[in-house]
C-alpha cells in the first residue's frame, strides 16, 4: 500500500492529538475532581448530579433558614419570659393592694411600681429584632404594634394577626413569631363609672356582676339610650331608677341598691329617706388587654381615697382574674414557641442526614476515582510518549539512508 506524504503526516498528527486529548481529559478530571466534565460523558449521571446539586443547595438554604428561625424563637421566648415575670409581679402587688390595712398612701406606692412595670411592658410589647423589625407585629413588622390611645385611655394593638413562616423542608413551614393580638389580646372590658351626685348617702360602690354591667351598657348605647342614672328614694326602703326616659322601681336589700350588675351600699351614718337621691354615669365599654388592665388597676389605686367609695376593691378583684387570664395566654404562647423549637431541632437533624446521603450519592456518581484516574494518566502518558517516538522515527525513514 502506498501512502502519500500528506496522508502519512495527517495520520501521525491524528494519533498524537487523540492521545493528547485522552491525557488532557484525565488531567482535567483530576483537577476538577469529577469524572463528568460534560453531559456527553454520562448523560444520565449528569442529570442525576444536577438534581442532587439542587437538593444539596436547597438543604443549605434550609440550614440558613433554621438559624434565622432559631434566633427569632429564642428572642421571642426571652421577651415572653420577661413579660410573664413582670405580670406576675403586678399580680403580687394587686394582692397586697387588697390588704384591708393599707391606706390610700400605701396603695399609691404600689400603683407607682405598677406604672413602672407598665412602661416596661409597653417597651417589651414593641420589642425589635436585630434588623429593627417588631417581634409582635404580624406581617406589618415595620409598624409599631402597640400604641396608647389617649381618647380611651387604653393600649391598642394596631397591627395584624398574621404569622410569618419560615421554610425548613419542602413541606415544613414554621411560624417565626406570634402577633401581639395573641400575646396581649383582649381580656375583658372596662366600664368607666362616676358618681355625679348624692355621694353622701353612699358608703360603698361595688360591681357585683361585671358581665351584666357590660352587656346592659352596650345594649343601651346600641339602642341610643342614656347611661346616666338617677336613683330617687320614695321611702326608706323603696326607690326608683331613671335614665331620663325609662323608670324602674326596686327595694333596698341588705342595705344595698342593686341594678344591672352595680351595687350601692347605703350609708349607715346618713341613710337615705324619702326624697333623697344619688346619680351616677357609665362610660362606653372599652376593650381591655393586658397593658390596659395594669394601667386601669394603677389608676384605681391612685384614686382609692374616700371619694372612690371603695370602687378600687372591685377593680382589684377583676384585675386578679384578668391577670391570671393574661399569664395563661403568655404561658400558652411560650409552650407553642418551645414546641416549634423542638420541631426545628428535629428538622435540622433530618436535613443534615439528607445532606449527607445526597453528597454521598453525588460522589458515587460524579467524583473521580483517584487510583483509577492516576493509573489511566500514567498509561496515557506512556501511550502519548510512545506515539511521539514512533512518529519521529518513522517520519525520518528514507531510501537514501540505504544507498
Amino acid at each position: 500500500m502506498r501512502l502519500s506524504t500528506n496522508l502519512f503526516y495527517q495520520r501521525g498528527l491524528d494519533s498524537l492529538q487523540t492521545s493528547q486529548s485522552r491525557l488532557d481529559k484525565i488531567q482535567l478530571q483530576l483537577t476538577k475532581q469529577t469524572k463528568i466534565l460534560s453531559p456527553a460523558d454520562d448523560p444520565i449521571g449528569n442529570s442525576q448530579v444536577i438534581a442532587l446539586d439542587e437538593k444539596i443547595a436547597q438543604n443549605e438554604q434550609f440550614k440558613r433558614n433554621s438559624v434565622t428561625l432559631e434566633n427569632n424563637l429564642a428572642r421571642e421566648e426571652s421577651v415572653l419570659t420577661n413579660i410573664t415575670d413582670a405580670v406576675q409581679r403586678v399580680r403580687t402587688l394587686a394582692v397586697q393592694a387588697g390588704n384591708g390595712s393599707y391606706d390610700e398612701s400605701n396603695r399609691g406606692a404600689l400603683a407607682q411600681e405598677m406604672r413602672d412595670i407598665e412602661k416596661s411592658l409597653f417597651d417589651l410589647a414593641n420589642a425589635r429584632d436585630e434588623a429593627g423589625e417588631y417581634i409582635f407585629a404580624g406581617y406589618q413588622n415595620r409598624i409599631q404594634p402597640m400604641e396608647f390611645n389617649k381618647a380611651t385611655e387604653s393600649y391598642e394593638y394596631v397591627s395584624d394577626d398574621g404569622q410569618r413562616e419560615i421554610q425548613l423542608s419542602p413541606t415544613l413551614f414554621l411560624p417565626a413569631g406570634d402577633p401581639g393580638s395573641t400575646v396581649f389580646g383582649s381580656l375583658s372590658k372596662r366600664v368607666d363609672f362616676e358618681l355625679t351626685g348624692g355621694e353622701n348617702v353612699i358608703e360603698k360602690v361595688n360591681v357585683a356582676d361585671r358581665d351584666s354591667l357590660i352587656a346592659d351598657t352596650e345594649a343601651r348605647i346600641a339602642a341610643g339610650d342614656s347611661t346616666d342614672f338617677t336613683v330617687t328614694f320614695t321611702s326608706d326602703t323603696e326607690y326608683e331608677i331613671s335614665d331620663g326616659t325609662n323608670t324602674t322601681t326596686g327595694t333596698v336589700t341588705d342595705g344595698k341598691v342593686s341594678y344591672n350588675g352595680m351595687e350601692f351600699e347605703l350609708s349607715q351614718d346618713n341613710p337615705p329617706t324619702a326624697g333623697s337621691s344619688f346619680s351616677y354615669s357609665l362610660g362606653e365599654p372599652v376593650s381591655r388587654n393586658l397593658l390596659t388592665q395594669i394601667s386601669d388597676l394603677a389608676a384605681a389605686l391612685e384614686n382609692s381615697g374616700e371619694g372612690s367609695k371603695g370602687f378600687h376593691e372591685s377593680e382589684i378583684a377583676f384585675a386578679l382574674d384578668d391577670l391570671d387570664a393574661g399569664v395563661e395566654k403568655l404561658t400558652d404562647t411560650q409552650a407553642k414557641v418551645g414546641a416549634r423549637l423542638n420541631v426545628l431541632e428535629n428538622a435540622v437533624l433530618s436535613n443534615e442526614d439528607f445532606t449527607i446521603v445526597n453528597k454521598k450519592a453525588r460522589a458515587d456518581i460524579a467524583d473521580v476515582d483517584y487510583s483509577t484516574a492516576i493509573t489511566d494518566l500514567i498509561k496515557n502518558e506512556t501511550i502519548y510518549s510512545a506515539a511521539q517516538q514512533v512518529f519521529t522515527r518513522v517520519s525520518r525513514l528514507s531510501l537514501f539512508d540505504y544507498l
Side-chain angles (χ1 to χ4, degrees), residues 73 80 156 173 191 219 315 327:
L73 294 179
L80 288 173
E156 296 179 353
F173 296 80
V191 178
E315 191 62 47
V327 169

Side-chain angles (χ1 to χ4, degrees), residues 161-175:
D161 301 332
Q163 282 185 297
R164 291 174 296 158
E165 294 185 330
I166 292 180
Q167 187 175 8
L168 297 180
S169 78
T171 58
L172 177 61
F173 296 80
L174 285 182

